Amino acid sequence: MTATQTKFPIDLSAYKPLELDPTVPELTDDQRETLKNNIQLLRDTIVFFTATGAARGVGGHTGGPYDTAPEVAILDAFFRGNPEKFVPTFFDEAGHRVATQYLMAVLFYKELPAEQLLSYRAAHSKLPGHPELGLTPGVQFSSGRLGHMWPYINGVAMANPEKIVCCLGSDGSQQEGNDAEAARMAVAKNLNVKLFIDDNDVTIAGHPSHYLGGFDLRKTLEGHGLTVLEGDGEDLDDLYRRMCQAVTTEGPVAVVNKRKMCVGIEGIEGSPHGHDVISVDAALTYLEAKGRTEAVNFLKQVEKPKNLYKYLGSGDKLGSNRNVFGEAVASILSAMDADERQRNVVCVDSDLEGSCGLKQIRQATPDIFVSGGIMERCNLSAAAGFGMEKGKQGIFATFSAFLEMCISEITMARLNYSNLLCHFSHSGIDDMADNTCHFGLNNMFADNGLDDGYATRLYFPADAAQMAACVKAIFNDPGMRFIFSTRSKVPNILDADGNDCFGGDYTFTPGKDEVIREGTAGYIVSFGDSLYRSLDAVERLKQEGIDVGLINKPTLNVVDEEMMAKVGAAPFVLVVEAFNRRTGLGSRFGSWLLERGFAPKFGYLGTYQEGCGGLWEQFPHQGIDPDGIMAKVKSLMS
């Protein structure tokens, strides 16, 4: 029986639609009791179906939607009671709180079957980790990345001047600079936007009150000119009063709600662990205490899907390149004299140290580590500014999807001849249940300078051994260096004799391409996590008598003239990558061939459509799995 055929194990008919008039700022006893019951039902349901994501191995972010259930229940009642006064959309600038949108798609918009929630974040379930307009029935907007909605809803307010536009916010998203710009516009134009901000003093890497001293959300927003109504988010009567005041006050208003993260959830309350998905064990404890027996029984039987495909040409050693980056850098820094290190190196994190390998650097060398908060553009520029002087360098890391936000800062760093080592993890699409808005697809944009500009190099190592070798080789190079890695672990690449390609005395040479397999029929050119999939395709093609070769191109933006001549003389060249087909390596490689007078048959495979959620399933969805690669090779040869 599939999840969508199974009855949802929590009775959502217990949610009692309520109509509330914000001009009446006091709740009756019946209204208060109904709200409390609705809030508890929302929270229990969020814990349950996000925990199915934990059980399935796709993650899911429980804390944010759990925390903001009171605000959502009250907004629901406002929208129902005064539909003509509101744009009835639960806009949210924290996209990872997508569980709210899915639950409202069931309860408010009534477009999503409750049973579909049982497939939360699973591949092809149309329930990705951030809301996507047009993909999921009942979802009213695409949130993009953190902090992008407030500027957007300013425009919605301009388009609907007679209505109130509401947006759920967070203290994390408010750290982003675009929210400061949005605040100034909202005040200057007196836009009727209302922010309901969950201020729980928790982000992924810690507590803003610890790492961002001086940041006070109320004072910041008041400084921009907003009316700010601050209070306890768990005091229902006070919360309701402040929300009534907000929506009955002309112009922009921010309702700041202080509360602990995951209040009432044992072992998680007040902890950064609440930001991500609740563990199955914690969810079971919570649901059992709430008497949700059917939900407990369902959760216990959820199984994690496994990818049983055996890739030829790769070993059994899986390495997390995003963490290997941090280990390799930490090793280099630890060997330096402490005074020299403090004078010449700084490492700036953007609240993702555990995801990008910077945690290892902080633990090994806390003296040069800066917790910069959720301010990617500022943090990259600060690291670049530190590296402006010869002999000094900055280190910076974040997700590859956020590289697009930093293009101007990258240009600024290049214009100032900065020495900057950037690690952009979560590149491509592999294991990306967050889906399209978190795909790291346009990384080639980092090489946005002129031909005569300061050196910029883009590197995408294929496995853990090559990542370590790459970091060692380029760490002290001047200029801009970008290293990419995936969210997923990758296997070790083997040579034709079954030995590690990048083991033993292997030395990484920047700018040089590498022959992984020789071939006479043509060559596949690939890199990163696409390489081992391409290698599998090559091995299987050879078994069919099609002698295809494979080239690894770990330096993405430098032409290796010797290798270009080699592949240019082949019958065909096929570029395989997880980057965007429009902007990736394939969009450049054909021009490089033609400029040198080479004219093999040419093709390239890359990501070209919206994601499908899930984990490894993203590759076959885009046609860049071994089957898709083999089919493309055969079409080029036909």
Side-chain angles (χ1 to χ4, degrees):
M1 183 180 293
T2 65
T4 53
Q5 293 172 324
T6 303
K7 181 182 177 182
F8 195 76
I10 294 177
D11 181 13
L12 294 184
S13 68
Y15 188 87
K16 301 302 181 185
L18 189 63
E19 296 183 4
L20 292 174
D21 181 355
T23 64
V24 181
E26 293 185 4
L27 295 166
T28 67
D29 290 342
D30 286 345
Q31 290 171 336
R32 184 183 304 104
E33 193 62 26
T34 299
L35 270 179
K36 285 182 177 179
N37 290 335
N38 285 349
I39 292 165
Q40 193 61 57
L41 180 64
L42 291 178
R43 284 180 163 171
D44 292 356
T45 306
I46 287 166
V47 167
F48 164 64
F49 80 81
T50 59
T52 68
R56 203 175 291 111
V58 293
H61 295 290
T62 304
Y66 176 94
D67 285 358
T68 53
E71 293 93 309
V72 170
I74 293 171
L75 286 178
D76 176 291
F78 284 169
F79 293 169
R80 293 177 191 271
N82 302 268
E84 74 287 347
K85 293 184 179 180
F86 292 89
V87 174
T89 301
F90 300 88
F91 288 113
D92 195 333
E93 59 176 350
H96 55 268
R97 292 195 297 227
V98 69
T100 297
Q101 307 309 320
Y102 295 155
L103 196 45
M104 288 299 101
V106 175
L107 296 173
F108 185 84
Y109 302 108
K110 298 187 182 302
E111 294 184 34
L112 188 71
E115 288 71 27
Q116 195 166 337
L117 299 177
L118 301 175
S119 300
Y120 178 60
R121 287 171 65 109
H124 306 289
S125 68
K126 297 187 177 181
L127 299 175
H130 284 236
E132 295 187 14
L133 181 64
L135 178 69
T136 311
V139 163
Q140 305 295 305
F141 65 96
S142 296
S143 67
R145 302 138 196 162
L146 195 65
H148 283 55
M149 285 310 302
W150 188 357
Y152 193 85
I153 69 158
N154 278 350
V156 175
M158 291 177 185
N160 296 273
E162 73 288 354
K163 293 188 176 183
I164 300 165
V165 182
C166 300
C167 185
L168 297 162
S170 69
D171 53 337
S173 59
Q174 286 291 318
Q175 293 177 28
E176 292 281 16
N178 48 3
D179 267 9
E181 297 176 16
R184 291 194 289 271
M185 171 180 274
V187 171
K189 302 303 180 184
N190 197 37
L191 300 176
N192 213 14
V193 295
K194 316 299 176 183
L195 278 292
F196 303 98
I197 302 173
D198 180 34
D199 189 3
N200 56 29
D201 193 33
V202 165
T203 56
I204 295 174
H207 304 281
S209 60
H210 296 171
Y211 65 71
L212 209 60
F215 174 60
D216 183 290
L217 190 51
R218 178 181 60 80
K219 291 180 179 178
T220 298
L221 292 171
E222 286 178 341
H224 288 307
L226 270 82
T227 298
V228 180
L229 308 173
E230 186 179 72
D232 182 355
E234 295 302 300
D235 182 336
L236 185 57
D237 285 284
D238 181 61
L239 173 63
Y240 178 70
R241 179 190 59 77
R242 288 183 292 117
M243 290 182 67
C244 287
Q245 183 180 346
V247 300
T248 56
T249 299
E250 185 67 23
V253 181
V255 177
V256 176
N257 299 314
K258 299 280 190 178
R259 59 163 63 89
K260 291 184 177 181
M261 168 70 86
C262 290
V263 61
I265 300 184
E266 181 181 345
I268 299 178
E269 180 178 299
S271 162
H273 295 296
H275 172 85
D276 207 338
V277 70
I278 189 171
S279 70
V280 173
D281 287 344
L284 290 173
T285 299
Y286 173 91
L287 294 167
E288 286 169 349
K290 300 298 181 184
R292 302 292 187 183
T293 304
E294 290 185 47
V296 167
N297 292 336
F298 182 93
L299 191 55
K300 287 180 177 178
Q301 58 85 39
V302 176
E303 295 182 0
K304 182 178 180 180
K306 296 180 181 179
N307 184 8
L308 301 177
Y309 190 93
K310 175 65 177 177
Y311 291 94
L312 302 182
S314 301
D316 297 325
K317 295 182 291 187
L318 291 175
S320 175
N321 273 10
R322 56 191 172 111
N323 288 308
V324 172
F325 169 84
E327 293 164 2
V329 171
S331 177
I332 294 170
L333 293 175
S334 297
M336 295 173 64
D337 174 77
D339 290 339
E340 177 192 359
R341 182 174 62 236
Q342 291 176 25
R343 285 195 306 271
N344 296 326
V345 184
V346 72
C347 177
V348 186
D349 172 53
S350 295
D351 194 54
L352 293 171
E353 62 172 56
S355 298
C356 300
L358 297 193
K359 181 179 180 180
Q360 291 87 332
I361 298 173
R362 175 180 60 78
Q363 291 174 335
T365 55
D367 52 331
I368 57 93
F369 189 85
V370 176
S371 295
I374 309 171
M375 303 185 297
E376 299 86 359
R377 288 157 288 203
C378 169
N379 294 338
L380 186 146
S381 284
F386 184 93
M388 184 178 183
E389 183 181 331
K390 183 178 180 180
K392 295 181 183 289
Q393 78 161 312
I395 301 170
F396 169 84
T398 189
F399 290 167
S400 288
F402 305 157
L403 185 149
E404 300 164 33
M405 297 161 56
C406 301
I407 295 301
S408 179
E409 285 72 21
I410 290 169
T411 296
M412 190 70 175
R414 183 179 295 108
L415 290 173
N416 284 289
Y417 304 99
S418 294
N419 301 309
L420 180 64
L421 176 63
C422 290
H423 176 213
F424 285 92
S425 71
H426 293 56
S427 291
I429 62 174
D430 205 13
D431 274 16
M432 293 301 290
D434 278 336
N435 221 46
T436 309
C437 75
H438 268 54
F439 284 173
L441 297 178
N442 295 312
N443 296 349
M444 300 293 279
F445 287 172
D447 181 22
N448 64 354
L450 301 174
D451 286 352
D452 66 346
Y454 200 48
T456 299
R457 294 291 181 264
L458 314 184
Y459 302 103
F460 204 144
D463 67 10
Q466 187 167 54
M467 171 62 85
C470 175
V471 171
K472 181 180 179 181
I474 71 167
F475 184 82
N476 290 311
D477 287 351
M480 303 277 287
R481 288 140 294 145
F482 295 82
I483 298 182
F484 302 107
S485 67
T486 59
R487 181 182 188 272
S488 59
K489 293 182 178 180
V490 290
N492 54 313
I493 303 297
L494 303 178
D495 63 22
D497 297 323
N499 301 313
D500 283 339
C501 276
F502 310 117
D505 58 357
Y506 169 79
T507 300
F508 182 84
T509 304
K512 295 298 293 182
D513 302 343
E514 300 162 334
V515 177
I516 304 300
R517 295 290 188 274
E518 288 286 3
T520 57
Y523 282 98
I524 296 173
V525 178
S526 193
F527 58 86
D529 56 335
S530 297
L531 188 75
Y532 76 84
R533 292 172 165 98
S534 297
L535 179 53
D536 177 77
V538 164
E539 294 286 13
R540 295 183 190 277
L541 287 166
K542 287 181 183 293
Q543 290 177 353
E544 296 181 15
I546 304 175
D547 187 28
V548 177
L550 177 63
I551 305 300
N552 180 34
K553 188 168 183 58
T555 307
L556 302 178
N557 65 330
V558 175
V559 176
D560 180 342
E561 298 293 352
E562 182 181 359
M563 193 67 75
M564 189 63 72
K566 179 182 180 71
V567 301
F572 77 82
V573 175
L574 172 63
V575 175
V576 177
E577 59 185 320
F579 285 0
N580 188 346
R581 247 187 68 88
R582 292 187 173 187
T583 63
L585 176 66
S587 68
R588 299 185 179 194
F589 204 90
S591 298
W592 291 342
L593 287 167
L594 287 174
E595 286 171 351
R596 288 156 180 80
F598 302 123
K601 294 186 73 173
F602 179 73
Y604 62 102
L605 295 174
T607 297
Y608 72 97
Q609 63 178 337
E610 189 170 40
C612 69
L615 301 174
W616 70 88
E617 296 94 341
Q618 297 281 11
F619 263 77
H621 177 67
Q622 302 289 349
I624 47 180
D625 61 322
D627 286 344
I629 296 168
M630 292 171 68
K632 185 64 175 179
V633 166
K634 291 175 181 178
S635 72
L636 286 171
M637 295 181 64
S638 63

